Amino acid sequence: MTTSVLITGTSSGIGRVTALRLARRPELSVYATARRPETLADLAAAGARVLELDVTDEASMARAVAAVEAEHGSVGVLVNNAGYGEYGTIEETGLDGVRRQFETNVFGLARMTQLVLPGMRRASRGRIVNVGSMGGRIVFPVGGYYHASKYAVEALTDALRFEAAPFGVKVSLIEPGLIRTSFGDTAARTLSGSAAPAGPYAALNTAADQQMAQSYRSTILSAPPETVAKAIEHAATAARPRTRYVVTPAAKALVHTRRLLGARVFDALLRAQFKGAA
């Protein structure tokens, strides 16, 4: 029996690598999606089905789910991967950008979940894999609004896991650390555009930009997207998937450091990291 897998945000990064990885499995029928499906030619060549899907557009989301259900009866696995980072300080970041980020990272994820669940309940089976972030458990300066969106994904996933379990639907959360994709470039671009160069947070913004660049270049602190794709594959196919997958050793260390040492010590570590900027 073939299981359908619908993945959001496969035009680049984690989503693209995940689609390629899952398309190799003969028991899976992978639906790769993006706002511009013409960007997915290589995924189609690898055996994935290609659909247009914009997680900020209701009609687009409904069409994509309906297309999968028309062929398979229900979506077997939903991978809510679409997301990006809108960076800047709490005071200076424009709320229009924050709203766009929440539309993608939170409301798009929630609506896709709502659309697939009736079919999964009818089938008495299904998987929902939400791609969150270690940023849903720890917070760095100038990333508050991005972190808030990922904290929201944590809460939604925890509630959904309990609510959907009686219907045979398993729910997992992927929490990547720093992954070498275009995410860091997008974050840096939004950070540079969020405030005036001579504003009150100029030193902090500059330090944060430098820290991000150095961290994403580090092979110790970051990892390739294939690492996340492997975790998503396990969540989508294992008989007993984990509730959470913290991806990369650095992410595991940071999450546990924050949990064990508390806010005051973690703040002290951040002050040392951003010395001269705070």
Side-chain angles (χ1 to χ4, degrees), residues 19-97:
L20 286 170
R21 185 180 185 93
L22 295 184
R24 300 190 195 112
R25 298 183 65 120
E27 77 276 19
L28 301 180
S29 179
V30 175
Y31 290 78
T33 71
R35 286 179 294 180
R36 294 187 297 115
E38 64 270 17
T39 64
L40 307 179
D42 61 327
L43 299 184
R49 306 285 292 277
V50 170
L51 293 175
E52 178 185 357
L53 173 54
D54 180 348
V55 298
T56 67
D57 181 82
E58 172 69 22
S60 173
M61 290 186 281
R63 282 195 302 270
V65 172
V68 179
E69 291 183 340
E71 293 197 32
H72 297 273
S74 66
V75 174
V77 181
L78 170 65
V79 180
N80 277 315
N81 168 72
Y84 71 99
E86 185 82 25
Y87 273 60
T89 65
I90 299 302
E91 179 180 350
E92 295 175 313
T93 304
L95 290 182
D96 284 345

Side-chain angles (χ1 to χ4, degrees), residues 109-182:
L109 175 149
R111 185 58 182 144
M112 286 298 298
T113 299
Q114 290 178 335
L115 288 168
V116 302
L117 274 173
M120 288 183 175
R121 286 191 291 102
R122 287 193 299 270
S124 298
R125 65 185 182 92
R127 302 280 178 100
I128 296 175
V129 182
N130 290 336
V131 179
S133 169
M134 72 170 180
R137 303 243 231 136
I138 57 175
V139 177
F140 293 105
V142 310
Y145 290 115
Y146 168 73
H147 288 285
S149 74
K150 292 303 183 179
Y151 268 67
V153 171
E154 293 269 336
L156 292 172
T157 305
D158 281 343
L160 178 64
R161 187 175 62 251
F162 187 87
E163 294 167 359
F167 305 103
V169 178
K170 296 180 172 66
V171 179
S172 295
L173 178 65
I174 311 295
E175 300 172 310
L178 300 180
I179 304 300
R180 294 191 290 274
T181 67
S182 61

